Amino acid sequence: MTTANSARPPAPGHALTRWSAWGLALLIPSVLAAALAALSTYRGGRCFEYGGCHQVPGTLVYGSLVTAVAAGLAALLWPRRHRPGARTCAVLLQWSAQVLLVLLILGYGG
C-alpha cells in the first residue's frame, strides 16, 4: 500500500519527453490530414489533377520535416537532467517546425 508520502514526484523532464513523443507520434497523421484538406479544395484538386500551379518550395517543406524529426528525436533521447533548457528549446523547435510544415501543406490548396 502506498501513502501520499511514499509516492515519488515525476522526473524533471518527464513533461518534455511526453511533448516530444506526442509530436513525433502526430507528425505523420497531421501531414496526411493537411494534405487531404489541401487536396479537398477546388484549387488544390485542380492543381493536383492538372498541375502547373504555384507550389511551395520543396526545400522548405523537406527542411521543416527534417527539422521536426531531428529536434523531436534530440529532445526524446536527451538525458533529462542534463541541460533541461536545451531540451525545452528542442521541443519548441520541433513543434514550431511541425506547425510550419502543416501550414505549408495547407497553403498548397489555398
Side-chain angles (χ1 to χ4, degrees):
M1 182 165 127
T2 60
T3 63
N5 292 337
S6 66
R8 287 185 176 172
H14 189 65
L16 289 175
T17 302
R18 242 185 311 182
W19 276 102
S20 175
W22 272 107
L24 287 172
L26 291 175
L27 181 64
I28 299 300
S30 63
V31 166
L32 290 177
L36 283 174
L39 291 176
S40 68
T41 63
Y42 176 75
R43 182 172 176 239
R46 287 191 58 82
C47 288
F48 180 73
E49 190 172 334
Y50 300 113
C53 297
H54 174 69
Q55 293 183 354
V56 178
T59 55
L60 192 57
V61 173
Y62 295 128
S64 60
L65 175 66
V66 168
T67 302
V69 171
L73 287 175
L76 193 63
L77 300 175
W78 196 285
R80 288 183 182 165
R81 299 189 192 280
H82 184 66
R83 299 178 115 193
R87 284 189 75 214
T88 303
C89 289
V91 171
L92 289 174
L93 179 64
Q94 171 195 5
W95 279 92
S96 299
Q98 203 161 327
V99 168
L100 176 65
L101 176 64
V102 167
L103 291 175
L104 287 171
I105 293 170
L106 286 174
Y108 178 78

